[in-house]
Amino acid sequence: MTNLDALPPDPELAVEINDLPLFFAHCIALEADAVERYEELAGQMEAHNNPEVAALFQKMAQIEARHLAEIQERAAGRDLPSLEPWEYQWPDRESPEAVTHDSVHYLMTPWHAIQLAIEAEERARDFFARVSETTRDDEVRGLARNYAEEEGEHVALLEEWAADFDSPMEDWSEDPDRPQSV
Ligand code: ZN
């Protein structure tokens, strides 16, 4: 017989962020990772002659950079903890807002790029929502709720962009011009 209540809490899901400095440290890392990754992706897409997708990633990098600057301003003058990578309380041990490298393909269409970004923004939204639900600090709760809402707005924005592009055909990853070995 299984008593679900007796199971230990899932360590992957545990979030204990109960003061502003620790919260800001997480926010800054999350946003900085997002900016860096979007810029990297934009560069990759440019290198692969996909300027349309590059421009979308560039735009996301700008949006996240603005968010990062706002948070840094709010955190200014506070003593923030400097955390080792493994000390961050990310649900899957990976910075939630970053797009994973593995999921990027040089032939991906704008539609694919936007889907990846939507997933990253949803992870960020869920992280902030989780903090707002679990924190014991009122200020952290209020900010986390706001940030969850903002990340939700990013999701909505990306979904609007995605609507401008057709969802791709099944064989999108087959390159007809792939050099043949002779
Ligand atoms: Zn975002």
Side-chain angles (χ1 to χ4, degrees):
M1 200 163 77
T2 319
N3 180 358
L4 285 176
D5 293 336
L7 291 173
D10 185 350
E12 302 283 308
L13 296 175
V15 182
E16 285 277 338
I17 297 181
N18 296 312
D19 61 76
L20 275 180
L22 186 60
F23 179 63
F24 285 139
H26 278 79
C27 295
I28 288 168
L30 184 152
E31 300 296 345
D33 286 350
V35 172
E36 196 183 310
R37 197 67 67 90
Y38 275 129
E39 276 172 356
E40 219 175 274
L41 289 171
Q44 282 177 16
M45 289 297 113
E46 243 155 61
H48 289 117
N49 272 325
N50 204 332
E52 196 175 15
V53 189
L56 289 176
F57 281 138
Q58 208 56 259
K59 174 123 197 208
M60 283 316 296
Q62 280 165 13
I63 289 173
E64 302 299 353
R66 220 177 299 137
H67 201 192
L68 174 62
E70 274 167 31
I71 293 165
Q72 277 169 331
E73 208 170 292
R74 210 184 266 269
R78 283 173 197 270
D79 212 1
L80 301 189
S82 65
L83 302 175
E84 299 295 341
W86 58 88
E87 291 178 306
Y88 287 98
Q89 299 178 39
W90 307 133
D92 297 309
R93 294 177 206 281
E94 257 233 69
S95 184
E97 198 159 2
V99 172
T100 46
H101 288 282
D102 296 353
S103 38
V104 179
H105 187 292
Y106 79 98
L107 288 174
M108 78 178 167
T109 65
W111 185 90
H112 284 102
I114 299 166
Q115 298 312 310
L116 289 178
I118 287 173
E119 284 168 26
E121 298 296 332
E122 283 174 342
R123 284 194 298 271
R125 180 197 61 197
D126 294 349
F127 170 74
F128 286 125
R130 185 143 191 97
V131 172
S132 80
E133 284 158 15
T134 55
T135 186
R136 294 192 296 271
D137 185 281
D138 290 342
E139 278 184 283
V140 170
R141 187 178 308 113
L143 284 174
R145 210 174 276 162
N146 284 350
Y147 294 168
E149 234 165 72
E150 279 175 37
E151 300 301 350
E153 283 164 19
H154 295 173
V155 173
L157 174 67
L158 287 162
E159 277 169 350
E160 250 170 60
W161 287 348
D164 292 342
F165 297 99
D166 296 332
S167 75
M169 319 274 273
E170 285 288 304
D171 61 352
W172 66 275
S173 65
E174 277 163 33
D175 185 349
D177 299 326
R178 196 189 304 271
Q180 303 288 323
S181 48
V182 187

